[in-house]
């Protein structure tokens, strides 16, 4: 029996603490000022058998809460716009750099190169060639081969004896 009597004060102490916790919970439930009531349709949640709405009511918010909400929204918007501007600027500068790089090699005209072209093409007929790629049928990466359907067009001035309609005059290497 002495054990039961020594446990009684501990039991009473635990019951008192439990009562204090329950009182704190009741006070917290009473402090609900309606800030999150009736703001979002369909945002109801059942907690401890009670139906509660988790929406946000702007009219019932404190001024500091409104300022924080607006400030947070503006901060996110500013960060997003800054990211978008920086990214677009980077992409545009990269595109311009790549275009100038390719143009410098496509239109490379040094005096030595031009002299060599003029020397080898003194008696040549200038033929302009156009290629229209219609379809890529297959690509084999392992063997570095591909199959395409394309049209090739030629245009030149003078030398009517040149006839590209004759298959023996046109050769495609590795074609």
């Amino acid at each position: 029996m002495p054990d039961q009597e020594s446990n009684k004060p501990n039991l009473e102490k635990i019951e008192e603490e439990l009562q204090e916790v329950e009182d704190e919970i009741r006070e917290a439930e009473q402090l609900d000022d309606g800030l999150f009531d009736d703001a979002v349709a369909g945002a109801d949640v059942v907690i401890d058998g009670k139906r509660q709405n988790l929406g946000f009511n702007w009219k019932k918010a404190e001024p500091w809460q409104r300022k924080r909400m607006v400030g947070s929204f503006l901060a996110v918007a500013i960060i997003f716009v800054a990211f978008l501007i920086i990214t677009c600027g980077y992409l545009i500068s990269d595109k311009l750099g790549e275009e100038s790089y390719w143009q410098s090699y496509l239109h490379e005209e040094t005096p030595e190169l031009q002299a060599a072209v003029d020397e080898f093409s003194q008696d040549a007929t200038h033929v302009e060639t156009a290629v229209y790629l219609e379809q890529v049928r297959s690509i084999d990466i392992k063997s570095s081969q591909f199959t395409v359907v394309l049209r090739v067009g030629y245009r030149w001035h003078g030398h009517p004896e040149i006839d590209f309609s004759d298959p023996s005059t046109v050769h495609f290497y590795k074609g």
Side-chain angles (χ1 to χ4, degrees):
M1 291 282 190
D3 289 334
Q4 289 179 353
E5 290 178 11
S6 65
N7 285 338
K8 281 186 182 180
N10 288 338
L11 213 91
E12 290 173 3
K13 186 177 179 181
I14 292 173
E15 286 177 353
E16 287 176 10
E17 290 177 2
L18 182 63
Q19 185 63 35
E20 288 176 10
V21 170
E22 287 176 354
D23 291 342
E24 288 177 8
I25 291 173
R26 279 193 212 102
E27 287 177 18
E29 288 175 352
Q30 290 174 357
L31 288 178
D32 179 20
D33 58 356
L35 184 63
F36 292 97
D37 291 345
D38 303 328
V40 180
D44 292 340
V45 176
V46 177
I47 299 174
D48 293 333
K50 296 179 183 178
R51 185 175 178 182
Q52 297 179 1
N53 189 311
L54 297 180
F56 180 78
N57 190 342
W58 182 261
K59 293 177 183 176
K60 294 181 181 179
E62 296 289 326
W64 69 269
Q65 291 171 320
R66 290 182 193 162
K67 287 179 184 177
R68 184 174 287 173
M69 184 75 78
V70 170
S72 299
F73 177 74
L74 288 175
V76 168
I78 289 170
I79 290 170
F80 175 74
V81 168
F83 173 77
L84 201 60
I85 290 171
I86 291 169
T87 303
C88 289
Y90 173 76
L91 290 174
I92 289 171
S93 68
D94 186 51
K95 176 185 176 251
L96 294 175
E98 287 294 322
E99 283 179 355
S100 66
Y101 171 79
W102 283 103
Q103 290 299 325
S104 69
Y105 283 105
L106 289 175
H107 300 292
E108 184 178 38
E109 294 183 14
T110 61
E112 300 87 21
L113 180 63
Q114 191 61 42
V117 168
D118 291 341
E119 180 185 335
F120 288 112
S121 64
Q122 287 177 355
D123 297 330
T125 301
H126 181 72
V127 178
E128 295 176 1
T129 307
V131 177
Y132 178 73
L133 180 64
E134 289 185 3
Q135 183 181 16
V136 177
R137 291 201 174 166
S138 67
I139 298 175
D140 186 4
I141 296 174
K142 287 184 178 179
S143 64
S144 299
Q145 294 184 356
F146 58 91
T147 305
V148 296
V149 176
L150 54 90
R151 293 182 186 208
V152 180
Y154 303 99
R155 180 171 55 188
W156 68 93
H157 299 289
H159 300 286
E161 66 275 358
I162 300 175
D163 185 14
F164 284 107
S165 63
D166 182 12
S168 64
T169 61
V170 178
H171 299 283
F172 290 101
Y173 296 99
K174 295 186 180 182

